[in-house]
């Protein structure tokens, strides 16, 4: 049965979604980054349903969402760096990977057997209201089929996962548009495991330089080569699109010649571009084009996350 899409602006809708979560069902909900596919992080069966619905490999752990840093401290061990970052950026688009607290009430599958746990306090009012109403830690990956483009509207969720969730809370298009920044704090040196909605520069200003993920170790297993992929091939750093391509443009100087063009931000604003990224990739992903050609996008601020996602969207695919 297709899920009920409920406008999220009533307490009835939040209560209905909270009831579904307490009953072990899946609920899609808006966060400030992308829509999440949520379930009770304490229930092995509910978490297993997330992996099944997405077709997600079971070695790829999930982020646990909480309504406050105080709640998060029940699950992960905060050091000074973690306290600093939480105080500055929570609620907001930041995920901290911390040593998991022994005996923390989490389903084993949430962390895919790792000794660490990924924690985030989202800032979207619907996400916060839902977390408070259900009283559960919510495991929530992005609400898309594994490896595909993330969902930034309730309609995107309904198209991909509508028959697999009990409720979709519709809070309109998400504001940030790319996933949270993931910082690894389980070792002595902080690491940028995934660029995202909080710019790297803002984090480094507080806790110093961030290392790359440890060489040879897949620190964020979801950060594998091909991900965020539309159906069409993706070609990067294009300044000469061909007539059978769809152009994903950025900035005021747009080359001519593509079959169709969408501009992420005519003014060259990276936050606007991030907010439009996934919806525009979906709109250009058409059967009548040979490839999505993407113009160069500056690699600072939110541009780091945009370039990261586009690189993975363009990577060779297994299937
Ligand atoms: O903005 C976001 O973070 C969204 C919204 C819904 O909150 N969620 C999201 O979840 O992007 P997901 O599952 O699509 O991406 C989570 C990433 C994956 O790359 C996963 O491998 C990594 O977090 N991750 C989770 N737990 C981890 C851990 N203990 N250590 C390292 N990486 C971890
Ligand atoms: Mg994802």
């Amino acid at each position: 049965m297709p899920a009920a899409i409920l406008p999220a602006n009533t307490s009835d809708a939040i209560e209905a979604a909270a009831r579904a979560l307490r009953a072990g069902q899946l609920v899609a909900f808006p966060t400030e980054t992308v829509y999440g596919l949520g379930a009770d992080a304490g229930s092995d069966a509910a978490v297993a349903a997330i992996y099944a619905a997405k077709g997600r490999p079971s070695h790829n752990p999930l982020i646990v969402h909480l309504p406050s840093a105080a709640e998060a401290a029940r699950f992960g061990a905060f050091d000074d760096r973690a306290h600093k970052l939480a105080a500055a950026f929570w609620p907001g688009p930041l995920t901290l990977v911390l040593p998991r607290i022994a005996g923390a009430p989490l389903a084993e599958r949430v962390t895919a057997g790792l000794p660490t746990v990924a924690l985030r306090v989202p800032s979207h009012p619907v996400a916060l209201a839902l977390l408070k109403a259900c009283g559960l830690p919510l495991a929530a990956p992005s609400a898309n089929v594994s490896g595909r483009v993330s969902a930034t509207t309730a309609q995107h969720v309904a198209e991909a996962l509508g028959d697999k969730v009990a409720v979709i809370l519709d809070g309109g298009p998400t504001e940030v548009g790319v996933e949270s920044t993931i910082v690894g704090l389980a070792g002595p040196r902080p690491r940028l495991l995934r660029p995202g909605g909080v710019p790297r520069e803002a984090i480094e200003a507080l806790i110093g330089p961030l290392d790359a993920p440890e060489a040879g170790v897949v620190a964020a297993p979801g950060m594998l080569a091909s991900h965020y992929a539309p159906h069409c091939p993706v070609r990067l750093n294009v300044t000469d699109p061909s007539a059978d391509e769809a152009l994903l443009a950025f900035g005021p100087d747009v080359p001519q010649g593509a079959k169709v063009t969408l501009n992420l931000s005519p003014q060259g604003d990276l936050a606007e571009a991030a907010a439009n990224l996934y919806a525009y990739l979906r709109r250009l992903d058409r059967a009548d084009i040979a490839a999505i050609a993407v113009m160069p996008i500056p690699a600072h601020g939110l541009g780091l996350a945009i370039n990261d996602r586009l690189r993975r969207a363009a990577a060779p695919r297994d299937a």
Side-chain angles (χ1 to χ4, degrees):
M1 240 240 321
I5 301 189
L6 302 179
N9 56 358
T10 69
S11 52
D12 280 1
I14 300 290
E15 239 340 290
R19 262 198 312 278
L21 289 166
R22 284 193 295 264
Q25 295 179 302
L26 302 184
V27 168
F29 63 95
T31 81
E32 70 279 19
T33 58
V34 297
Y35 274 70
L37 178 65
D40 176 2
S43 158
D44 251 310
V47 172
I50 292 181
Y51 284 94
K54 285 191 58 126
R56 181 176 176 112
S58 59
H59 60 77
N60 188 0
L62 304 174
I63 297 173
V64 179
H65 296 67
L66 299 145
S68 67
E71 281 292 314
R74 295 173 51 214
F75 300 91
F78 281 64
D79 60 13
D80 283 352
R81 304 167 301 183
H83 281 301
K84 258 193 200 159
L85 293 178
F89 300 115
W90 280 354
L94 175 71
T95 295
L96 298 178
V97 171
L98 303 176
R100 176 181 171 169
I101 286 181
L106 287 179
E108 198 53 42
R109 282 187 170 88
V110 170
T111 55
L114 294 173
T116 54
V117 61
L119 301 169
R120 159 157 136 81
V121 179
S123 64
H124 196 294
V126 172
L128 284 174
L130 182 64
L131 284 163
K132 286 173 189 158
C134 71
L136 301 167
L138 292 183
S142 50
N144 53 276
V145 172
S146 184
R148 293 293 172 194
V149 180
S150 306
T152 53
T153 69
Q155 285 67 37
H156 296 162
V157 180
E159 286 160 22
L161 298 170
D163 56 348
K164 304 208 167 71
V165 300
V167 176
I168 299 173
L169 287 175
D170 186 352
T174 61
E175 193 182 323
V176 177
V178 291
E179 291 82 351
S180 60
T181 303
I182 306 182
V183 177
L185 295 176
R189 304 174 65 90
R191 295 182 188 277
L192 181 64
L193 302 182
R194 177 176 75 182
V198 175
R200 174 190 193 128
E201 297 89 330
I203 294 166
E204 293 190 323
L206 281 185
I207 62 165
L210 294 170
D211 281 9
E214 213 171 339
V217 175
V218 182
M223 298 307 285
L224 298 171
S226 174
H227 215 77
Y228 314 100
H231 295 91
C232 290
V234 176
R235 198 160 77 87
L236 300 180
N237 296 315
V238 173
T239 49
D240 59 341
S242 56
D244 57 358
E245 287 183 318
L247 180 67
L248 189 62
F250 177 83
D253 302 315
V254 178
Q256 301 300 303
K259 182 164 197 169
V260 50
T261 296
L262 286 177
N263 197 330
L264 288 168
S265 173
Q267 284 94 50
D269 179 297
L270 288 165
E272 182 185 24
N276 288 328
L277 178 67
Y278 291 135
Y280 284 14
L281 276 175
R282 284 164 188 272
R283 280 169 58 189
L284 295 179
D285 194 12
R286 303 178 357 180
D288 64 340
I289 59 146
I292 300 175
V294 187
M295 284 179 66
I297 295 172
H300 57 81
L302 281 175
L304 215 58
I306 297 172
N307 278 295
D308 171 80
R309 305 305 187 270
L310 287 169
R311 238 182 346 262
R312 293 174 206 282
R317 301 159 193 180
D318 297 336

